[in-house]
Amino acid sequence: TGESVAGEIEKAYGDSWIDSTGSMRAFIGQVRAQNGIDYENDLFVADIPLDINISSAFSGTQDHYPEPPEGIVIRRLTHGKGVTGIVRGSYDGSRIAFAAPDDKGRDQMYVISALGSDQEAVQLTRLASPVSSIRWHPSGEWVFCISDGKVFVTYAGSRPKKGKTIQLSNDRLTRDQLVVSPDGNLLAYVIPVVTRDQSGAIVKDASGNDFRQIFCMKLDWDTIK
């Protein structure tokens, strides 16, 4: 029915593919808490059969929620974690990185297995400002993020230095929308900068802000490792 039920997902967002075959889609689920009033935002995974019949889905009506295609299984990976942003799967589909508040209320980066359910996530970062723009390195050994407009990389492999975090930029520029090249050796992001037209006059966007331009950073892995 259209009534809210404790424990059911009422909204899904911040989603992305976890593996290359399209068999897992991770997302943040807004779930009604057991008290029937509050909400919990947690990490979920939808397991999608490769032979899925999309026509079996129900788009919903005024009185009934939409229903997914037959055969999809939803797994809840966290409880009461307060997951935010966009969740990201490692290239091999085995792990998921996401942002959630630490004990001081600041969004930090966590990693969890993409398999199973009801797991304990491992906190990777302990930065002074909230993290965003989480992205995996193709190797699965490192995860990038932005905090306070700066780029950081954190080790997420199996060696003892898991959680080691290195700041890759050190200026007052504000970076956002981080992405990683397919070979893992180049980062791209946007920075708002003063932009001039052909006459030399400063121009702004429709909101009166500086235009954001694309910049790249070449990674020095000898220094990082």
Side-chain angles (χ1 to χ4, degrees):
T1 68
E3 296 181 1
S4 175
V5 178
E8 288 189 354
I9 300 171
E10 295 190 11
K11 177 182 177 181
Y13 61 99
D15 53 311
S16 63
W17 291 108
I18 299 305
D19 62 347
S20 60
T21 63
S23 67
M24 288 188 291
R25 184 84 175 177
F27 62 94
I28 302 171
Q30 184 182 76
V31 180
R32 182 76 70 172
Q34 290 302 314
N35 62 15
I37 300 174
D38 299 322
Y39 284 100
E40 297 174 342
N41 297 308
D42 278 296
L43 179 63
F44 291 79
V45 167
D47 292 317
I48 307 170
L50 296 181
D51 59 350
I52 189 73
N53 180 8
I54 298 178
S55 65
S56 63
F58 174 61
S59 59
T61 66
Q62 179 178 336
D63 301 316
H64 296 274
Y65 284 121
E67 296 179 5
E70 296 176 0
I72 290 182
V73 176
I74 306 295
R75 291 183 282 115
R76 186 171 183 171
L77 270 61
T78 66
H79 277 79
K81 201 65 180 176
V83 183
T84 64
I86 299 176
V87 301
R88 300 291 183 185
S90 60
Y91 279 58
D92 64 359
S94 66
R95 290 171 292 165
I96 303 170
F98 62 92
D102 60 11
D103 55 5
K104 297 180 180 178
R106 293 180 296 216
D107 282 349
Q108 302 291 347
M109 185 161 57
Y110 294 78
V111 67
I112 195 170
S113 171
L115 307 176
S117 59
D118 297 328
Q119 304 171 55
E120 188 67 31
V122 176
Q123 182 176 342
L124 288 184
T125 62
R126 288 168 174 79
L127 299 173
S129 298
V131 304
S132 63
S133 292
I134 294 174
R135 294 283 185 173
W136 284 89
H137 185 267
S139 68
E141 294 273 293
W142 301 85
V143 192
F144 301 90
C145 69
I146 289 178
S147 179
D148 192 30
K150 301 174 179 61
V151 180
F152 292 83
V153 61
T154 300
Y155 181 68
S158 58
R159 295 193 295 274
K161 61 178 180 179
K162 176 177 285 188
K164 173 185 176 181
T165 300
I166 302 168
Q167 184 174 326
L168 300 179
S169 62
N170 187 24
D171 51 40
R172 296 184 178 180
L173 299 176
T174 302
R175 295 161 177 82
D176 196 11
Q177 304 298 319
L178 176 71
V179 293
V180 185
S181 64
D183 66 1
N185 292 322
L186 198 66
L187 303 181
Y189 40 76
V190 295
I191 300 175
V193 296
V194 175
T195 306
R196 299 178 184 273
D197 61 18
Q198 293 181 347
S199 69
I202 295 177
V203 292
K204 303 284 186 177
D205 64 18
S207 300
N209 300 316
D210 286 332
F211 281 98
R212 300 196 299 173
Q213 307 294 348
I214 299 174
F215 290 78
C216 289
M217 174 192 293
K218 186 175 182 181
L219 296 169
D220 184 355
W221 285 108
D222 290 336
T223 301
I224 293 173
K225 294 178 179 180

